[in-house]
Amino acid sequence: MISKEELGLRIRNIRKERGLTLKDLERDSGFSATHISEIERGKTSPTIGALVRISQALGKDTSYFLEEEQLNEIALVRRDERSALPLGVARVRGEYLTPGIPGGRVN
């Protein structure tokens, strides 16, 4: 599980990437700018319900803020980095086009 400091940092980074102020996020999430600031600074932890509303206001899946490893929005494996499919998987020669699905989750 990530620390409340890391959670706050992720929220702040996404908010700034989206060009939102604390007041914008207050309007969109329904939580006071003061409370959001305390979350961003790691002074308090949001409830699950609060995190869901903040995530929606930021346009991100709630799991993004909880997963240990931050996942990229796009998975890319260059031709020279691809690995071959095991022979028993397919009757044709093939290569993996993604690095895999961490946690087995597909969006």
Side-chain angles (χ1 to χ4, degrees), residues 31-66:
F31 292 100
S32 72
T34 302
H35 186 59
I36 295 167
S37 175
E38 289 175 348
I39 293 169
E40 287 185 352
R41 290 181 290 127
K43 301 297 182 193
T44 189
S45 297
T47 64
I48 294 296
L51 184 58
V52 168
R53 286 174 43 194
I54 291 169
S55 300
Q56 289 172 339
L58 293 171
K60 289 294 261 183
D61 190 78
T62 305
S63 63
Y64 171 83
F65 297 104
L66 299 173

Side-chain angles (χ1 to χ4, degrees), residues 85-95:
L85 289 169
L87 293 177
V89 172
R91 292 183 182 198
V92 295
R93 198 183 99 177
E95 296 175 332

Side-chain angles (χ1 to χ4, degrees), residues 4-101:
K4 62 183 177 181
E5 291 81 14
E6 175 65 22
L7 172 63
L9 184 62
R10 289 183 189 186
I11 291 171
R12 176 182 286 139
N13 289 341
I14 295 299
R15 178 178 60 79
K16 288 187 173 192
E17 282 177 17
R18 303 272 196 273
L20 299 173
T21 64
L22 285 168
K23 283 293 190 184
D24 294 331
L25 191 52
E26 175 183 65
R27 178 195 64 230
D28 297 342
S29 71
F31 292 100
S32 72
T34 302
H35 186 59
I36 295 167
S37 175
E38 289 175 348
I39 293 169
E40 287 185 352
R41 290 181 290 127
K43 301 297 182 193
T44 189
S45 297
T47 64
I48 294 296
L51 184 58
V52 168
R53 286 174 43 194
I54 291 169
S55 300
Q56 289 172 339
L58 293 171
K60 289 294 261 183
D61 190 78
T62 305
S63 63
Y64 171 83
F65 297 104
L66 299 173
E67 293 174 343
E68 292 279 336
E69 180 183 339
Q70 290 187 45
L71 305 176
N72 294 325
E73 293 284 331
I74 299 171
L76 171 68
V77 177
R78 301 198 185 284
R79 182 184 307 252
D80 60 332
E81 297 170 345
R82 294 181 188 158
S83 58
L85 289 169
L87 293 177
V89 172
R91 292 183 182 198
V92 295
R93 198 183 99 177
E95 296 175 332
Y96 288 105
L97 300 178
T98 65
I101 304 170

